[in-house]
Amino acid sequence: MENYIAVRAHGLKSRLLTRNDYEQIVNGDKDIGAFKDYSLIGEKDTLEEKLEKIYRVYVSRITLLAKASQEYSPFIYALLDRLEIENIKIQLRHILGYARPVIYYPYGRHIGPAKISNLKTESSIWEALRERDLLTTDVPNFTTGLVAEREAFLDFQYYVYLMKQLDAVRIDKEEKSELKEAIKSEAGLLLAYWTRVLKPQTVENLAKYSGLDAKPAEITLKEESTTDLLKTIHETIMRKIITRIETRHFTTLPFVYAYNFYAKLEAQNLEKILLGKTIGLPGEIIIRNLIFLE
């Protein structure tokens, strides 16, 4: 069954967009809806409708793999559960007064967007997460009123949760070790990100409280902007973690982990293109902010 899921993931990977496809969309030579997997996206759709349909493609791709095996589905679904954590972040920002549109990712295995939108207090959010076992510890006594501190805690809790789901999966010892190292490395890169946003001691305390076994990775940047940092992190994950997994575990469960990264990256690239074109960014700037598989 493990080989079967990996083969299906390879088939899905072959349908991912290429650099040339992205450039055609950015330059206006093709609409996103011209590509088969995104054919439900119409030119007259609103920005919100287009973004929702893009992420529905990502969700449907990973769900297809999860449904193929009852044994491995908890871990595969846990990869998708990242969107649920991102929806919680969106609602937290809304509750704490950030003036921005509230657009949720179209996914909710534990707490759907409709439920999340009805959570009106910070305490109700933590309680909802606890009820669905998405928190592995109590909520810490936050030392600032910053939403960033809460978002960092959610990130750390997600990686602890993901590792817990992996522990429950019965796969080859080497495969599991590779996946654990990948998750730990990703977490280390996120730790590095949060130490640029919050005080390093605050981040260290949150990680320790969460039970996250990882240390901030070393990241060298020419500039200190958050956008550059996040792009560097994603490129590093792909170059040093995902590519290694893809080449070493071509026909086993770790390849699904790699494919999930690629599929989510495609959705994020398309989101950047739509947002960039909406605000009138030059095409070369939009392209520069994308991450390509090649």
Side-chain angles (χ1 to χ4, degrees):
M1 181 56 72
E2 196 177 355
N3 290 348
Y4 171 72
I5 295 176
V7 169
R8 297 202 74 173
H10 278 287
L12 290 170
K13 183 174 182 285
S14 69
R15 289 157 51 179
L16 293 175
L17 300 179
T18 65
R19 181 181 183 123
N20 182 61
D21 293 332
Y22 288 128
E23 289 177 345
Q24 287 185 316
I25 296 170
V26 171
N27 295 331
D29 298 326
K30 279 189 176 181
D31 292 318
I32 295 177
F35 296 91
K36 185 176 180 180
D37 285 4
Y38 298 98
S39 60
L40 292 180
I41 297 177
E43 291 183 46
K44 294 183 179 180
D45 286 345
T46 65
L47 174 62
E48 291 80 6
E49 289 169 337
K50 289 179 180 178
L51 290 174
E52 179 176 337
K53 290 177 181 179
I54 284 170
Y55 278 94
R56 284 196 183 280
V57 170
Y58 164 58
V59 171
S60 67
R61 286 169 168 174
I62 305 305
T63 299
L64 181 67
L65 297 176
K67 287 182 176 179
S69 169
Q70 186 175 359
E71 183 179 0
Y72 303 126
S73 64
F75 175 69
I76 299 173
Y77 275 125
L79 299 175
L80 269 182
D81 290 343
R82 179 74 200 195
L83 292 184
E84 209 147 5
I85 297 302
E86 294 304 316
N87 279 342
I88 290 292
K89 288 183 184 180
I90 291 168
Q91 187 64 9
L92 266 175
R93 288 193 289 267
H94 178 64
I95 288 172
L96 295 177
Y98 282 68
R100 56 176 294 178
V102 180
I103 305 172
Y104 303 100
Y105 294 103
Y107 176 77
R109 187 165 69 103
H110 301 277
I111 318 172
K115 171 70 174 178
I116 288 176
S117 66
N118 286 321
L119 300 175
K120 304 301 183 184
T121 64
E122 188 177 335
S123 61
S124 67
I125 282 181
W126 303 125
E127 184 58 32
L129 288 169
R130 187 179 295 107
E131 287 176 355
R132 290 152 180 88
D133 295 325
L134 289 172
L135 285 185
T136 60
T137 185
D138 292 331
V139 179
N141 294 319
F142 294 114
T143 59
T144 74
L146 299 174
V147 69
E149 187 179 7
R150 286 125 178 100
E151 290 188 45
F153 173 66
L154 283 167
D155 276 346
F156 304 157
Q157 279 290 281
Y158 171 73
Y159 281 107
V160 173
Y161 162 76
L162 183 60
M163 193 72 81
K164 182 179 178 182
Q165 302 306 308
L166 175 60
D167 284 337
V169 175
R170 292 193 298 175
I171 56 174
D172 177 80
K173 184 178 180 181
E174 183 183 349
E175 294 171 32
K176 184 170 286 191
S177 177
E178 188 87 60
L179 281 171
K180 283 187 174 182
E181 187 59 35
I183 293 170
K184 189 174 178 179
S185 297
E186 278 197 36
L189 287 162
L190 262 293
L191 277 164
Y193 166 78
W194 285 116
T195 57
R196 304 292 181 101
V197 178
L198 298 164
K199 292 180 179 179
Q201 189 61 55
T202 299
V203 174
E204 182 180 337
N205 291 342
L206 285 173
K208 184 177 180 180
Y209 187 88
S210 295
L212 182 64
D213 179 23
K215 294 182 179 180
E218 293 291 332
I219 300 178
T220 302
L221 284 175
K222 294 180 180 179
E223 299 180 19
E224 290 291 330
S225 77
T226 300
T227 301
D228 288 336
L229 178 56
L230 286 173
K231 186 172 187 288
T232 298
I233 285 173
H234 280 92
E235 289 174 337
T236 303
I237 290 173
M238 183 169 66
R239 187 176 63 253
K240 293 187 176 181
I241 303 173
I242 302 302
T243 302
R244 172 186 168 88
I245 285 180
E246 184 178 9
T247 54
R248 289 168 60 92
H249 300 278
F250 198 70
T251 59
T252 52
L253 187 63
F255 184 82
V256 175
Y257 183 85
Y259 171 71
N260 174 73
F261 177 85
Y262 291 137
K264 183 168 61 176
L265 181 65
E266 178 169 289
Q268 292 168 336
N269 276 340
L270 291 174
E271 180 179 6
K272 290 176 184 177
I273 291 173
L274 286 180
L275 293 177
K277 290 171 75 73
T278 298
I279 63 177
L281 286 180
E284 60 269 22
I285 300 297
I286 297 175
I287 293 292
R288 192 185 307 160
N289 285 321
L290 304 182
I291 301 174
F292 305 106
L293 268 61
E294 303 90 52

